Amino acid sequence: MARTSVNSSSSPIGIFDSGVGGLTVFKEVRKLLPFEDMVYLGDTARVPYGTKSQEVVIKYSIQNAEFLLSKGVKTIIVACNTASAASLPYLKDHFPEVEIIGVISPVVRYIKTNLHSLTKVAVVGTKTAITSGAYQRALQEALPGVKVLSKPCPLFVPLVEEGMFDHRVTDAVIDMYLSEIREAKVGAVILGCTHYPMLKKPLQKYFGEKVAVIDTAFHTAVSLDSVLCEKSLKNDRSVDGRNEFYVTDSVESFKKTAELFLKFSVDQVFHI
Amino acid sequence: MARTSVNSSSSPIGIFDSGVGGLTVFKEVRKLLPFEDMVYLGDTARVPYGTKSQEVVIKYSIQNAEFLLSKGVKTIIVACNTASAASLPYLKDHFPEVEIIGVISPVVRYIKTNLHSLTKVAVVGTKTAITSGAYQRALQEALPGVKVLSKPCPLFVPLVEEGMFDHRVTDAVIDMYLSEIREAKVGAVILGCTHYPMLKKPLQKYFGEKVAVIDTAFHTAVSLDSVLCEKSLKNDRSVDGRNEFYVTDSVESFKKTAELFLKFSVDQVFHI
């Protein structure tokens, strides 16, 4: 695939995810940067990444980045915690010509700046994201001495995809995975998977209002904004940006979920 | 990929599945036909199929069959309900040179022969398997007048993969999906997914002893035996057959799960 990245301010922002979860990041970027064009790639034919090996996730991530570069994007957001955890250093090595932003550093930077008195923090995510140790390493580097607990929660994604945001089964699963973390009295819980913000309400209720339940989407959008400013890549027009979506499986089923996530009508969806 | 199927009785039996679920079928074939060589392909890099479109499942199934044919198999078992439901006619069309057996007809034939007084039957499975309507059509053709209820149960596979065979969350999920089917007083419930036999115990308890809870693995092995006899393709030696496993993702994680499913040590696992 030809790399036609032009790195000009009028080029679109590229985002990829294993499927629909990255739309939570897309949504925050859309709100913060309304004048940017955006190209989203959801690898729905191979979703999920969170149960697959690091080796396979790296391979898929490189292919996704190649595709976005062929669309001339000026920057790439890896809007998937698993792909960020497993493949970000490989992607940066492989594509030095373009700025690549994952979802892990932005939230770690936010915690370092805003929650510096934190002594215990937990991160929850997919099996691959948690076993990669990427979050744990990034947190311990940024906040030396902080105690990091972690827990893979493989049933959360299927629960979200079943729309069970407010359900006794979901509450029971939350308790099954997270009772030890609640007992450990952490100050913050990072939702290390782009699906998990859909469970923020029951999770916040479970941990209580004193615990910060933090998702990565908003902080990723803020990081992107900084990077674009720094590199003078921000689109300086005042016209609403265009959205283009590419998927590797069914257009129809993606369109339906995307409209549920984004709460606006989604037209430009293409199969690749 | 070259097709080197030789259709001789000493050739191996090929089996494919989206991942590890098809090992329940592998296990029954191994028991019934101990002298056959077997080649298993688990498409673990693209698992699961049950949430993907029919179009994508057909594409993957054809690639899997191509691979098994390159290993010289004499017959192919599609040990995945989703792939059987979505792609069997396409596979048979595409590969007329080899006998291809799915997991749906064997269980329908068993019901027709053994449970002919049945008036109401339910089939449970993945989204793609159930919405394809393949089971429903096969049952209504074989047993005209029978009432077929069906229900996709997307949380069952992740529950099995979490090893939650005996857990209050699993019982709650079973009740959430299947209370209407229990109230409808069906005579039999077909487990239309190769993962579901691992939940047979809680399901049997939920429906009660009078309801037949039927899985497809054993009946598929019986069908294979008949086909091999009919076509004079049965291996007539008296030496234990060899097993070879191929996976598209991590060998180690497959090996671990396979040993859990099969209860014997699994050595010959290769990455493709």
Side-chain angles (χ1 to χ4, degrees):
Chain A
M1 208 171 279
R3 296 186 195 172
T4 57
S5 172
V6 284
N7 277 331
S8 100
S9 63
S10 62
S11 305
I13 292 163
I15 300 194
F16 79 80
D17 177 45
S18 59
V20 296
L23 290 169
T24 55
V25 179
F26 180 94
K27 197 177 173 178
E28 295 297 334
V29 174
R30 197 15 95 232
K31 268 198 273 183
L32 201 65
L33 299 164
F35 308 136
E36 299 289 342
D37 291 334
M38 290 174 71
V39 180
Y40 181 97
L41 169 61
D43 190 9
T44 47
R46 303 190 292 198
V47 72
Y49 287 2
T51 52
K52 288 167 191 145
S53 71
Q54 184 168 9
E55 189 193 348
V56 158
V57 174
I58 292 170
K59 188 176 116 190
Y60 292 171
S61 296
I62 288 174
Q63 291 170 347
N64 295 338
E66 286 275 9
F67 174 79
L68 289 175
L69 287 171
S70 80
K71 294 286 162 192
V73 300
K74 61 185 172 188
T75 180
I76 291 176
I77 301 183
V78 184
C80 169
N81 281 270
T82 303
S84 294
S87 69
L88 201 64
Y90 300 87
L91 286 175
K92 282 176 185 277
D93 255 22
H94 212 87
F95 304 103
E97 71 273 33
V98 69
E99 198 68 35
I100 303 182
I101 299 166
V103 289
I104 297 177
S105 323
V107 77
V108 171
R109 203 171 311 127
Y110 165 77
I111 289 176
K112 186 181 164 77
T113 317
N114 296 280
L115 303 174
H116 30 71
S117 61
L118 210 60
T119 57
K120 243 188 237 173
V121 58
V123 54
V124 295
T126 65
K127 254 183 202 157
T128 306
I130 296 300
T131 56
S132 78
Y135 259 107
Q136 296 93 313
R137 279 191 303 276
L139 284 163
Q140 263 150 350
E141 241 172 68
L143 302 140
V146 77
K147 188 167 181 196
V148 184
L149 307 177
S150 65
K151 183 78 184 178
C153 305
L155 286 169
F156 281 4
V157 168
L159 285 170
V160 166
E161 293 193 338
E162 279 287 84
M164 290 163 64
F165 313 132
D166 177 25
H167 198 287
R168 67 191 171 95
V169 166
T170 304
D171 292 335
V173 172
I174 288 174
D175 186 55
M176 175 182 88
Y177 285 135
L178 302 178
S179 62
E180 273 178 44
I181 285 177
R182 185 167 68 169
E183 274 161 35
K185 300 204 185 303
V186 296
V189 177
I190 301 173
L191 306 183
C193 171
T194 49
H195 274 75
Y196 294 6
M198 309 295 273
L199 299 179
K200 197 168 179 177
K201 223 168 130 182
L203 284 165
Q204 188 70 68
K205 196 175 138 205
Y206 183 73
F207 285 105
E209 290 305 320
K210 278 186 194 156
V211 176
V213 176
I214 304 167
D215 74 74
T216 58
F218 172 71
H219 304 295
T220 305
V222 172
S223 271
L224 169 67
D225 187 37
S226 310
V227 167
L228 294 180
C229 284
E230 251 170 55
K231 309 262 169 192
S232 307
L233 280 174
K234 219 164 159 174
N235 202 328
D236 49 14
R237 67 179 178 191
S238 310
V239 180
D240 278 353
R242 285 176 307 116
N243 304 319
E244 264 178 28
F245 300 89
Y246 294 87
V247 289
T248 51
D249 196 350
S250 155
V251 163
E252 269 323 300
S253 108
F254 179 85
K255 210 168 127 41
K256 227 188 290 174
T257 317
E259 291 179 347
L260 198 78
F261 268 63
L262 299 174
K263 298 191 170 57
F264 58 76
S265 153
V266 167
D267 297 314
Q268 302 292 305
V269 186
F270 308 97
H271 181 264
I272 56 164
Chain B
M1 207 171 277
R3 295 184 195 173
T4 57
S5 170
V6 285
N7 278 328
S8 100
S9 61
S10 62
S11 305
I13 292 163
I15 300 194
F16 79 80
D17 177 45
S18 58
V20 295
L23 290 169
T24 55
V25 178
F26 180 94
K27 194 177 177 179
E28 295 298 334
V29 174
R30 197 14 96 235
K31 268 197 275 182
L32 201 66
L33 299 163
F35 307 137
E36 300 289 342
D37 291 335
M38 290 173 73
V39 180
Y40 182 95
L41 169 60
D43 189 10
T44 46
R46 303 190 291 197
V47 72
Y49 287 2
T51 51
K52 288 169 189 141
S53 70
Q54 184 167 10
E55 190 193 347
V56 158
V57 174
I58 291 169
K59 189 177 115 190
Y60 292 171
S61 297
I62 288 174
Q63 290 169 348
N64 295 338
E66 286 275 7
F67 174 80
L68 290 175
L69 287 171
S70 80
K71 295 284 162 194
V73 300
K74 60 185 173 190
T75 180
I76 292 176
I77 301 182
V78 183
C80 168
N81 281 269
T82 303
S84 295
S87 69
L88 201 64
Y90 299 85
L91 286 175
K92 283 177 185 276
D93 254 23
H94 212 87
F95 304 103
E97 70 272 34
V98 68
E99 198 69 34
I100 303 182
I101 299 167
V103 288
I104 297 178
S105 322
V107 76
V108 171
R109 204 172 308 127
Y110 165 77
I111 290 178
K112 187 181 163 78
T113 318
N114 296 281
L115 302 173
H116 30 70
S117 62
L118 210 60
T119 56
K120 246 188 238 174
V121 58
V123 55
V124 296
T126 66
K127 254 185 202 156
T128 305
I130 296 299
T131 56
S132 78
Y135 259 107
Q136 295 93 314
R137 279 192 302 277
L139 285 162
Q140 262 151 352
E141 243 172 66
L143 302 140
V146 76
K147 189 166 179 195
V148 184
L149 307 178
S150 64
K151 183 78 185 178
C153 304
L155 286 170
F156 281 6
V157 168
L159 285 169
V160 167
E161 294 192 338
E162 278 286 87
M164 293 163 63
F165 312 132
D166 177 23
H167 198 287
R168 68 192 170 93
V169 166
T170 304
D171 292 335
V173 171
I174 288 174
D175 186 54
M176 175 182 86
Y177 284 135
L178 301 177
S179 61
E180 273 178 44
I181 284 177
R182 184 167 69 169
E183 275 161 35
K185 300 201 182 306
V186 296
V189 177
I190 302 172
L191 305 183
C193 171
T194 49
H195 274 75
Y196 293 6
M198 308 296 274
L199 299 179
K200 196 167 180 176
K201 223 169 131 182
L203 284 164
Q204 188 71 67
K205 194 175 141 208
Y206 183 73
F207 284 106
E209 290 306 321
K210 278 183 191 159
V211 176
V213 175
I214 305 167
D215 75 75
T216 58
F218 173 71
H219 305 296
T220 304
V222 172
S223 269
L224 169 67
D225 186 39
S226 310
V227 167
L228 294 180
C229 285
E230 251 170 55
K231 309 263 170 190
S232 307
L233 280 174
K234 219 163 159 172
N235 202 328
D236 48 13
R237 67 180 178 190
S238 309
V239 179
D240 278 353
R242 286 178 307 117
N243 302 321
E244 263 178 30
F245 299 90
Y246 294 87
V247 288
T248 52
D249 196 350
S250 154
V251 162
E252 270 322 300
S253 110
F254 179 85
K255 210 168 126 43
K256 227 188 291 176
T257 316
E259 291 179 349
L260 197 79
F261 268 63
L262 298 174
K263 299 190 169 59
F264 58 74
S265 149
V266 166
D267 298 314
Q268 302 292 305
V269 186
F270 308 97
H271 181 263
I272 57 163

